[in-house]
Amino acid sequence: MEHEKDQETEISKVFDELWEKRKEVNSWDYLSEIIYNRILDELKEIEGVKEILETGSGTGRISLRLAQNGYKTTLLDISFSALKISEKLFKKENLSANLIAGSIFNLPFIDKTFDIVWNAGVVEHYLEEDQKKAFLEMIRICKNDGLIITMNPSANSLIYRAGKYTLEKIGKWEYGFVKPIKSFENLSKELKVKLSKEYSIGFIILFTEFFRRFIPYGSIISNFLGKIFISLERNPGGKFIRWIDKTLSNIFGGYLLVSVIKNEESLI
């Protein structure tokens, strides 16, 4: 338990500092676009979605978009700086926000509250035993036949791992402890829940991130390419672009591993 709290405290400190430094939180980027679209794809799998919880919500941009589409969203994060950003974004759009400061290891909700429980870029910050505790909590508060969706840096992506290693060596890694995820198949079996699908996305974004991280003035190129890909995702050929990205990601390893658990049967 003490180790768990120490890890959370360290992660909270890392992300408080990160969000304090970042000012352009209103800009919608390509990573947000692909995560948002994949969440929408998964929402189609179940009927009557009403309540959605994002655990580790960061700036809350994606939950804001879901709220704009009529979903009732709750945002939980251990970083007060992140929650302040989320509050500003929701106020700007004249939307009310259910913002909660809390721990993924002790979610302050009664059992079977939410239709969808999701996060992106959260679980990889913890060791396996702590990941198990986080999943137990997400399973507990997810309704029967609801979905737990988690997106994490993929251990199968050599490009991501090489970039992370390089940034760590040159002292420019900002995200604290991160262990890329290979699969949650064994964990889902241990917890007796159904891992209904697992796939990789974000191969294309690895290249936009390469420009942003390693090329002088590369953020300009990265932002330009991101806008092009956002436009492509939203036009009638968007499904084809997603298919290309998903295919390349599953062959070569994309940035994110998407794991979807259907809460049919659990230990809870």
Side-chain angles (χ1 to χ4, degrees):
M1 180 66 75
E2 286 302 320
H3 173 264
E4 174 187 300
K5 289 182 178 178
D6 289 344
Q7 238 190 322
E8 270 205 303
T9 300
E10 182 60 32
I11 291 167
S12 178
K13 180 180 177 182
V14 167
F15 280 93
D16 273 334
E17 292 176 356
L18 181 67
W19 298 129
E20 284 291 339
K21 288 190 295 184
R22 295 195 175 179
K23 304 299 182 183
E24 297 179 5
V25 296
N26 290 309
S27 60
W28 184 258
D29 57 21
Y30 181 47
L31 179 59
S32 300
E33 182 76 12
I34 63 172
I35 292 173
Y36 173 70
N37 285 330
R38 297 323 170 270
I39 293 292
L40 288 183
D41 288 342
E42 298 304 333
L43 289 180
K44 296 173 185 176
E45 297 293 319
I46 61 175
E47 296 181 0
V49 175
K50 296 178 182 179
E51 299 271 358
I52 300 177
L53 169 67
E54 182 180 3
T55 58
S57 52
T59 64
R61 285 180 294 185
I62 297 168
S63 283
L64 174 62
R65 286 285 295 273
L66 291 169
Q68 288 171 327
N69 274 330
Y71 295 104
K72 185 175 180 181
T73 57
T74 298
L75 291 72
L76 178 141
D77 206 287
I78 58 172
S79 169
F80 287 99
S81 297
L83 292 170
K84 287 178 183 178
I85 292 171
S86 300
E87 184 177 28
K88 289 179 182 178
L89 292 181
F90 272 77
K91 281 185 177 179
K92 184 178 179 180
E93 299 298 324
N94 295 316
L95 288 169
S96 60
N98 189 15
L99 305 175
I100 298 174
S103 167
I104 196 171
F105 302 114
N106 186 25
L107 295 171
F109 309 104
I110 63 174
D111 296 357
K112 313 300 181 186
T113 298
F114 297 96
D115 300 290
I116 304 290
V117 181
W118 77 277
N119 55 59
V122 176
V123 181
E124 76 274 7
H125 291 287
Y126 299 100
L127 297 172
E128 290 181 11
E129 279 304 307
D130 291 334
Q131 290 173 4
K132 179 179 176 180
K133 294 173 186 176
F135 271 97
L136 282 170
E137 275 293 272
M138 290 189 283
I139 292 164
R140 177 183 65 80
I141 64 168
C142 185
K143 293 179 182 178
N144 292 336
D145 294 325
L147 297 180
I148 296 104
I149 306 167
T150 183
M151 304 184 191
N152 307 279
S154 173
N156 297 315
S157 173
L158 293 177
I159 297 174
Y160 169 80
R161 288 163 57 194
K164 175 178 178 291
Y165 175 82
T166 303
L167 289 171
E168 287 173 335
K169 286 297 182 182
I170 63 178
K172 291 187 176 182
W173 181 254
E174 304 174 279
Y175 306 106
F177 173 79
V178 170
K179 183 180 180 181
I181 306 298
K182 187 173 184 180
S183 174
F184 284 122
E185 182 178 0
N186 289 336
L187 180 60
S188 65
K189 290 178 180 177
E190 183 179 351
L191 299 181
K192 299 180 181 179
V193 290
K194 180 182 179 181
L195 183 65
S196 60
K197 63 179 76 171
E198 196 167 58
Y199 56 91
S200 185
I201 63 171
F203 182 80
I204 293 173
I205 204 171
L206 289 169
F207 291 96
T208 64
E209 283 297 294
F210 172 81
F211 284 111
R212 186 167 74 88
R213 297 286 187 173
F214 298 110
I215 304 298
Y217 306 105
S219 59
I220 298 173
I221 300 172
S222 177
N223 291 338
F224 175 72
L225 290 174
K227 289 177 180 178
I228 290 175
F229 287 122
I230 288 173
S231 177
L232 290 172
E233 284 254 357
R234 293 178 179 179
N235 71 23
K239 289 184 179 180
F240 180 65
I241 296 298
R242 295 178 205 177
W243 178 82
I244 290 175
D245 180 74
K246 190 174 178 180
T247 300
L248 291 174
S249 295
N250 284 324
I251 294 173
F252 301 107
Y255 171 40
L256 294 174
L257 178 72
V258 181
S259 306
V260 182
I261 290 173
K262 189 162 187 181
N263 197 22
E264 295 179 340
E265 182 181 357
S266 74
L267 292 173
I268 303 302

